[in-house]
Amino acid sequence: MADATSILMTSTLTTALLAMSGISGHRLRQLVAAGALIRLRNGRYVPEGTPPPLIDAGRWGGRLDCVSLLASLGVFVSESAGVHLQFEPGTTRLPPRPRHVHAHWRKLALPREALTTDIVTALAQACRCQGPREAVATLDSAWHLGLVDEAGIAEVFALLPRRYQGLRGLLDARSESGVESLMRLILRTLGADIQVQVQIDGVGRVDFVVDGWLIVECDSRAHHEGWDIQRRDRRRDLAAAVRGYTTVRPLAEDILFHRGEVVRDVAAILAHGRPSSR
């Protein structure tokens, strides 16, 4: 994956700009034939190695936007079919778009050659295109990754209607993954006392401590594959048990796609109370 800065700075190279750099029409054709330059459409090119989503955006006359741009930057977004592109209102003679392209028509103060929107407007659009919980997880993720700071978050909410303002108080940049953010929101619905990213002597840092005794760790296959990691986690769980904690590890897929079952199970565990108090 290309780094965030290079993605956000990607722009098309026009025939005129290339000519100013000393590239003649004949040389331009040679570069295209060799694959060093990729022709997007009439008079517009990008260098080889440009990420495919940006190539597609340029060919369709738009800018990569919303969840599609954020996903390319490593930000958590909910799974979404199709590609989200921004188009300038009033733009004419655009190439035909496939049905899976979601067009977001809004005016932006960006160079005409830019192939992406900016991070703030992409986040605001992503809030509109996702459910409230997923929007919180996306904003948490972008904040945690350092793509925005608190001022940037304020800019995002300034672009959103009033009905979105209640989400602001739910954000927490300490969440290290979208799944953690979604789990935190689940725990909030249960009215539990939640501590985030807690350091426990002899155990290490855990995702959540709930009501002072229940450790909740958000595991995903991508970050917990291999016996070495499983062995480490089992030792941590045993060390936590020695100190009076109970550890549960809901699967990421269940947090994402079976929220109701996770809510039910965690509520039942909390209802039983701390094991030592039974």
Side-chain angles (χ1 to χ4, degrees):
M1 180 184 293
D3 68 88
T5 300
S6 64
I7 290 174
L8 292 170
M9 293 182 65
T10 303
S11 60
T12 57
L13 303 171
T14 63
T15 305
L17 181 62
L18 292 168
M20 290 175 60
S21 301
I23 298 176
S24 65
H26 174 68
R27 179 57 179 157
L28 177 56
R29 289 189 291 274
Q30 288 181 321
L31 292 171
V32 172
L37 286 177
I38 300 168
R39 183 181 182 276
L40 301 178
R41 49 199 175 96
N42 189 33
R44 295 185 178 275
Y45 304 84
V46 290
E48 65 175 329
T50 299
L54 299 181
I55 294 174
D56 290 340
R59 284 178 171 158
W60 294 321
R63 299 185 180 109
L64 199 64
D65 188 28
C66 192
V67 294
S68 297
L69 173 58
L70 297 171
S72 73
L73 299 175
V75 175
F76 170 85
V77 295
S78 62
E79 292 188 4
S80 174
V83 179
H84 292 244
L85 302 181
Q86 177 262 341
F87 296 89
E88 291 287 332
T91 304
T92 59
R93 295 185 294 179
L94 288 172
R97 295 188 298 277
R99 294 182 63 181
H100 70 278
V101 172
H102 300 276
H104 299 306
W105 295 90
R106 65 183 190 278
K107 190 169 184 61
L108 294 177
L110 291 173
R112 185 179 178 185
E113 294 77 21
L115 282 175
T116 74
T117 61
D118 62 278
I119 188 70
V120 167
T121 60
L123 285 168
Q125 185 63 56
C127 288
R128 297 171 181 267
C129 287
Q130 300 181 103
R133 288 186 292 272
E134 291 77 14
V136 169
T138 293
L139 292 169
D140 277 357
S141 177
W143 198 354
H144 179 76
L145 292 171
L147 294 173
V148 287
D149 54 15
E150 190 164 1
I153 291 293
E155 291 181 48
V156 171
F157 281 97
L159 296 174
L160 291 170
R162 182 177 298 178
R163 66 180 182 274
Y164 289 92
Q165 303 308 310
L167 300 182
R168 177 64 182 86
L170 300 177
L171 303 187
D172 192 328
R174 293 174 294 174
S175 289
E176 297 180 342
S177 70
V179 171
E180 281 187 33
S181 295
L182 294 174
M183 189 68 222
R184 187 183 73 246
L185 297 178
I186 286 174
L187 294 171
R188 283 179 61 95
T189 67
L190 298 175
D193 175 70
I194 311 165
Q195 294 176 279
V196 179
Q197 297 297 333
V198 182
Q199 187 72 30
I200 300 175
D201 290 341
V203 178
R205 190 176 60 173
V206 300
D207 294 335
F208 303 102
V209 173
V210 185
D211 286 351
W213 64 272
L214 179 65
I215 292 174
V216 179
E217 294 272 49
C218 301
D219 294 349
S220 66
R221 181 176 179 180
H223 294 94
H224 290 81
E225 282 189 317
W227 174 242
D228 286 345
I229 294 177
Q230 291 186 42
R231 183 167 52 193
R232 180 207 66 186
D233 287 344
R234 293 184 188 193
R235 285 173 173 163
R236 278 164 49 93
D237 293 351
L238 182 59
V242 169
R243 289 158 176 79
Y245 294 95
T246 297
T247 302
V248 295
R249 296 178 176 273
L251 295 175
E253 60 196 78
D254 291 338
I255 296 171
L256 289 167
F257 307 116
H258 306 288
R259 178 179 177 273
E261 295 176 14
V262 176
V263 171
R264 179 200 64 203
D265 292 343
V266 176
I269 293 169
L270 290 173
H272 288 310
R274 185 191 295 265
S276 61
S277 65
R278 293 173 192 167

